[in-house]
Amino acid sequence: LAIRVEWADPTKSHQVSTDMATDAVAIQFPLKGGDQTSPFMGTKEVPVAIMQWKALWQHDIEKGYQKVTDIYPNTYNETYQFGIHAARDVGNPVANNQRKTAAEEYVAGGFGSLTIQAHQDAFASGEWKDGKWTVVFSRPLKSKDENDPQLKVKEKTSFSFAVWEGGQKNVGGRKNYAMWTPLLLE
């Protein structure tokens, strides 16, 4: 399955700090029951699978992992022995400086339950050009992962989108979203 998402965004936001947020987009699928769950990260009874792309991750892949001095060039940066390695070693996904794709997959069963999936099947790549983002996601229709939607030809399901505009300080629950949209694979 491949899905192309485009949206107008006058600013390319690919850095994160206390006063900057990254552009991002996510696609959500119910794990069962079509659109019979909340479009806001599902419910405990009917969880959802989410694929997310971030401009920050795209930049990391294309230009290299960003450091504090990349955002604030005049900052004194003392080397901390543990730093990024400690964060990466405990599984902090933000500290992943070995990305192969700008996508991550999650599972959620309601607010506060977003969990990164142990097995990652999705791929995404994005480009900002002429005031517009174009992001393409791809993933297998089927997998052996119980946290992945099992998409079948001629079987109805639904999906929804969320878009974060970093230039507008969209972060976390502050985002633009679309409710469940019917999907039938031909």
Side-chain angles (χ1 to χ4, degrees):
L1 174 70
I3 298 174
R4 181 172 135 176
V5 185
E6 293 183 351
W7 70 97
D9 187 343
T11 58
K12 179 181 181 180
S13 304
H14 64 274
Q15 295 179 318
V16 176
S17 73
T18 56
D19 61 345
M20 290 187 277
T22 185
D23 295 327
V25 62
I27 302 174
Q28 172 179 259
F29 293 93
L31 288 176
K32 55 185 176 180
D35 62 357
Q36 303 303 308
T37 192
S38 171
F40 305 107
M41 299 178 75
T43 64
K44 186 175 182 179
E45 296 77 27
V46 187
V48 295
I50 299 170
M51 297 184 296
Q52 185 178 40
W53 169 92
K54 290 185 177 183
L56 170 71
W57 299 336
Q58 189 73 46
H59 186 273
D60 287 347
I61 290 169
E62 293 174 355
K63 307 284 185 187
Y65 189 78
Q66 298 177 70
K67 301 178 213 93
V68 171
T69 52
D70 293 332
I71 300 170
Y72 303 106
N74 296 323
T75 300
Y76 174 72
N77 186 20
E78 183 176 323
T79 304
Y80 177 54
Q81 181 179 356
F82 301 103
I84 187 73
H85 302 292
R88 192 176 52 236
D89 291 347
V90 297
N92 181 340
V94 176
N96 181 358
N97 63 356
Q98 302 297 317
R99 291 187 180 281
K100 303 287 187 253
T101 178
E104 283 193 352
E105 290 183 279
Y106 306 94
V107 65
F111 293 118
S113 67
L114 187 68
T115 305
I116 192 165
Q117 289 191 26
H119 184 75
Q120 299 283 311
D121 296 307
F123 178 83
S125 185
E127 177 184 47
W128 186 83
K129 185 176 180 182
D130 299 327
K132 177 175 75 173
W133 276 111
T134 302
V135 177
V136 176
F137 288 92
S138 65
R139 56 154 290 112
L141 291 176
K142 297 178 185 179
S143 77
K144 295 180 181 179
D145 187 344
E146 66 181 16
N147 292 320
D148 285 346
Q150 302 304 311
L151 304 171
K152 298 177 184 170
V153 173
K154 296 187 180 182
E155 188 173 293
K156 292 180 183 179
T157 190
S158 299
F159 66 105
S160 63
F161 294 91
V163 173
W164 292 261
E165 188 176 340
Q168 295 297 315
K169 299 198 185 321
N170 290 170
V171 65
R174 182 183 292 168
K175 60 190 171 208
N176 303 285
Y177 60 88
M179 301 303 270
W180 289 119
T181 302
L183 176 65
L184 177 64
L185 300 176
E186 296 182 354

